[in-house]
């Protein structure tokens, strides 16, 4: 369950948490909506949610985050979403992704370890610049960096530290930060 609001709220920002209707219903049963956070039930790939946010905050810059999400969808679906967002004003998008080699490793090893052997994964990004070319005009790369770069390694097993270092060295898992123009 998404906890970004609870971990990162600065006391002033307006937050929106988008998820599938059954997840939002479950979330509401467990947690009441905080004063500055709105739970939105819907499909991330449909325009309804971004239209609602733009109606609430017509001129405000928007930061969209997607963690552990895009790789479960085919490229045309993710590119379509990113392209759609370019039509809604000043928006930055931050998401995690894997490279083609990172995808192979996730399919082979990681998904088995976490008990999701049958999970299908599709979307990967070898180059954020190439991705913006697929999205089209109006998007630029603000950052593309190795995923584990800023994660402290104290207290981790040696094998975990090595895996993180290899991943970062070969850009197997990364964070991408895009902005609409």
């Amino acid at each position: 369950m998404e906890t970004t609001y609870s971990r990162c709220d600065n006391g002033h920002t307006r937050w929106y948490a988008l998820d599938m209707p059954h997840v939002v219903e479950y979330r509401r049963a467990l947690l009441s909506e905080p004063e500055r956070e709105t739970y939105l039930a819907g499909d991330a790939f449909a325009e309804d949610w971004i239209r609602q946010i733009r109606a609430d905050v017509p001129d405000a810059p928007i930061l969209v985050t997607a963690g552990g999400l895009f790789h479960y969808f085919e490229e045309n679906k993710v590119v379509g979403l990113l392209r759609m967002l370019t039509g809604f004003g000043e928006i930055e998008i931050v998401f995690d992704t894997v490279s083609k080699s990172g995808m192979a490793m996730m399919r082979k090893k990681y998904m088995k370890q976490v008990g999701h052997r049958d999970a299908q994964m599709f979307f990967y990004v070898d180059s954020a610049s190439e991705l913006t070319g697929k999205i089209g005009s109006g998007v630029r790369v603000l950052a593309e960096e190795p995923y584990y770069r800023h994660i402290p390694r104290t207290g981790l097993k040696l094998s975990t530290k090595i895996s993180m270092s290899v991943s970062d060295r070969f850009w197997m898992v990364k964070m991408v930060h895009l902005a609409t123009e």
Side-chain angles (χ1 to χ4, degrees):
M1 192 162 306
E2 179 58 55
T3 60
T4 305
Y5 172 85
S6 303
R7 293 179 289 111
C8 301
D9 181 49
N10 66 1
H12 305 286
T13 303
R14 181 83 197 124
W15 294 81
Y16 296 86
L18 172 66
D19 216 319
M20 300 303 293
H22 69 280
V23 175
V24 170
E25 183 179 315
Y26 182 63
R27 184 183 183 103
R28 283 189 173 122
L30 294 176
L31 307 165
S32 59
E33 285 181 43
E35 182 181 331
R36 289 179 332 285
E37 183 177 33
T38 301
Y39 299 161
L40 299 175
D43 177 355
F45 297 95
E47 289 186 10
D48 306 8
W49 65 273
I50 192 65
R51 286 190 185 284
Q52 181 178 342
I53 292 170
R54 267 295 168 228
D56 290 352
V57 289
D59 299 322
I62 294 174
L63 173 65
V64 175
T65 62
L69 177 67
F70 289 162
H71 47 264
Y72 294 107
F73 297 93
E74 296 203 16
E75 181 180 72
N76 64 339
K77 191 108 171 156
V78 177
V79 169
L81 168 64
L82 298 172
R83 194 175 287 146
M84 175 195 64
L85 290 174
T86 66
F88 288 91
E90 186 181 346
I91 296 180
E92 293 184 21
I93 306 115
V94 176
F95 60 94
D96 62 321
T97 188
V98 295
S99 64
K100 187 174 185 176
S101 61
M103 176 66 73
M105 181 170 296
M106 283 184 72
R107 286 180 180 151
K108 181 178 178 181
K109 184 178 177 186
Y110 178 73
M111 295 312 284
K112 290 177 188 175
Q113 286 179 336
V114 296
H116 295 290
R117 173 174 291 159
D118 297 330
Q120 292 196 325
M121 302 168 75
F122 306 98
F123 181 74
Y124 61 87
V125 176
D126 280 331
S127 162
S129 294
E130 286 178 19
L131 174 62
T132 60
K134 293 174 184 177
I135 297 166
S137 62
V139 179
R140 69 185 189 287
V141 177
L142 295 180
E144 178 178 20
E145 65 179 47
Y147 186 84
Y148 301 106
R149 173 178 283 168
H150 303 292
I151 296 177
R153 288 163 166 72
T154 53
L156 298 177
K157 291 186 213 175
L158 178 61
S159 61
T160 302
K161 292 177 185 179
I162 292 170
S163 292
M164 291 167 72
S165 294
V166 168
S167 175
D168 280 356
R169 181 171 176 84
F170 295 103
W171 293 75
M172 296 172 82
V173 183
K174 60 181 126 183
M175 294 300 296
V176 174
H177 186 175
L178 306 177
T180 60
E181 296 180 339

